[in-house]
Amino acid sequence: MVSRVIPVDNFDLVIFGGTGDLARRKIFPGLYRRFLAGQMNVDSRIIGAARAKYSDDEFRAFIEAALVEFVAKDRQDPAQIAAFLARLHYVAVDAKEEGGWELLKSTLRQNVVRAFYFSVAPSIFPDLAERLHSHGITDAWSRIVVEKPFGRDLASARALNEVLAKYFTEAQIYRIDHYLGKETVQNLMAVRFANILFEPIWKAQYIDHVQITVGETVSVNGRGAYYDKSGAMRDMVQNHLMQLLCLIAMEPPYHFDPDAVRDEKVKVIRALQPVPPQNIVRGQYLAGNGEGGYLEHCEDANSKTESYIAMKVEIANWRWKGTPFYLRTGKRLRARSSEIAIHFKEPPHSIFDGEKGWKENVLVIRLQPNEGMNLMVMIKEPGPGGMRLMQVPLDMTFADALGVEAEDVPDAYERLIMDVIRGNQTLFMRGDEVEAAWAWTDPIINGWESRGDKPQGYDPGSSGPEDALMLMHRDGRRWREIK
Ligand code: NAD
């Protein structure tokens, strides 16, 4: 099945940080794929803006090399690449200096969508916003796209919101959390709100608990000193895992509309309970498998920053009272695997006396690898051996079910950029949402910092520290295997 491609309006998209890692690996390859799919209007233009002194042609050559490296070989059509590169321009600007801004202004066209992607370090977001404004480059229709991290605590997030609000309305600000651009994450909303099947049982009465896992195999080697300032809680939980939790836990919005959806997410975040220390396990990966451990990679032998965190989170509202959400994420784990698992309760009464094989229904939503869903159900074991039960998966791997090739599923970034051009903010975080998330996160981090808690070591290639297993065992539950 070929997905429908609806072209977006003609645009001028400025990528600040156009020579950076994110631009090379994700943004430009993604835009090329949208061009190839016919979604990008052929008159649209992309303007790289960064400090390097490139000509248009030098920048095109730089991006061509990135496309060759990061776009699948069978999508590299020389004629299409040439046509895409012809849509690129470059202007050298420094966010902290005056030069280049008037040239940028004169490069942009009137009467097309104007978007500015801040793919630079957050410390210069305010400078960019201020200069765009003072040089009269933005108007009421312009949009800015802001990369993560959005602050490192409530105070810094609030300060950043205040600076941006001086120059832009909330409707112009697109705060990216690329998890929200993933196909399966959006499918979570479709599954919940486009089917009658799940919603009646989507509550504490029927759901025993929820597990959210984002496992990574990579270490922080090479960027350890940078990572050490954030850690798994700031880098993953406050944003990505929180977004997943919100989509599972929120009430049905009255309409699939940006503010209606985001209103419901904020309500979930506000209902999150403080997490006591006994419900948090933090870890640091040890040396092994031929690589150094976290403490070597972060270049601080006394670091107390976590490369792994597991926690039990409770939501104090009518729907979820009594159903814990267990979250975990970490580096150097057994597998690169992200999933949400909804574990249902047992039926109120078993008619199958003496049946030992009963297992709970589990709805597993896989974000990676093999995006898809799996519903574990009980059936009768085939054969004449009497009424024995067994658990089988009703498997729906999207690529299989829809006949979509992996390369045809838009990457999160490209989908989100197209939403910016369309002016649809549903999959972007609102300012109050980010602040609410930090307001919940801050006391948890302050707690372990003031106690001086040190993370527990865990073996690379494992599923995390021992204590994380205990967090579940204590409640008579088990983590799903990371595989
Ligand atoms: P990078 O260091 O590779 O690139 C930074 C870019 O900013 C370069 O193009 C540089 O020329 C430009 N720049 C630096 N100072 C400037 C200034 N004063 N004026 C104008 N331009 C300036 O960084 P990156 O990895 O591409 O990350 C960019 C942003 O995206 C950061 O906010 C980062 O947190 C976020 N991010 C990156 C990734 C990733 O995978 N790389 C993932 C998620 C979020």
Side-chain angles (χ1 to χ4, degrees), residues 325-345:
F325 284 62
Y326 297 92
L327 316 183
R328 66 178 162 164
T329 179
K331 307 276 182 203
R332 287 286 268 150
L333 297 180
R334 183 174 303 140
R336 179 167 179 257
S337 155
S338 303
E339 63 168 40
I340 299 162
I342 318 284
H343 288 247
F344 290 91
K345 290 186 172 169

Side-chain angles (χ1 to χ4, degrees), residues 35-86:
F35 181 81
L36 198 60
Q39 191 162 20
M40 199 176 127
N41 183 307
V42 287
D43 291 326
S44 293
R45 301 179 322 159
I46 305 155
I47 296 113
R51 284 185 302 187
K53 305 271 182 244
Y54 282 146
S55 66
D56 282 352
D57 281 342
E58 284 166 340
F59 184 63
R60 287 173 185 144
F62 174 83
I63 295 301
E64 185 174 10
L67 300 184
V68 169
E69 189 175 347
F70 296 110
V71 173
K73 293 282 171 274
D74 63 345
R75 304 293 142 127
Q76 293 185 20
D77 175 335
Q80 293 284 1
I81 290 188
F84 175 73
L85 294 175

Side-chain angles (χ1 to χ4, degrees), residues 104-123:
L104 177 60
K105 184 176 179 179
S106 62
T107 304
L108 299 175
R109 298 169 297 171
Q110 301 295 327
N111 304 321
V112 297
V113 173
R114 263 185 204 187
F116 300 88
Y117 196 130
F118 291 12
S119 179
V120 294
S123 57

Side-chain angles (χ1 to χ4, degrees), residues 17 19-22 25 50-51 93-95 119-120 122 124 147-149:
T19 60
D21 175 66
L22 184 67
R25 281 193 308 111
R51 284 185 302 187
V93 288
D94 188 325
S119 179
V120 294
I124 56 177
E147 258 303 330
K148 83 165 208 183

Side-chain angles (χ1 to χ4, degrees), residues 11 114 124 169 174 182 253 271 275 281 322 333 397 405 434 446 455:
F11 63 81
R114 263 185 204 187
I124 56 177
T169 63
Y174 290 71
K182 287 179 185 282
V275 185
V281 177
L333 297 180
T397 301
E405 284 185 46
V434 179
N446 293 343

Side-chain angles (χ1 to χ4, degrees), residues 211-237:
Q211 298 186 19
I212 304 178
T213 301
V214 177
E216 298 181 284
T217 51
V218 291
S219 70
V220 299
N221 202 9
R223 55 183 201 101
Y226 166 81
Y227 181 88
D228 202 47
K229 295 193 201 91
S230 55
M233 184 71 175
R234 288 192 169 96
D235 191 47
M236 297 297 291
V237 177

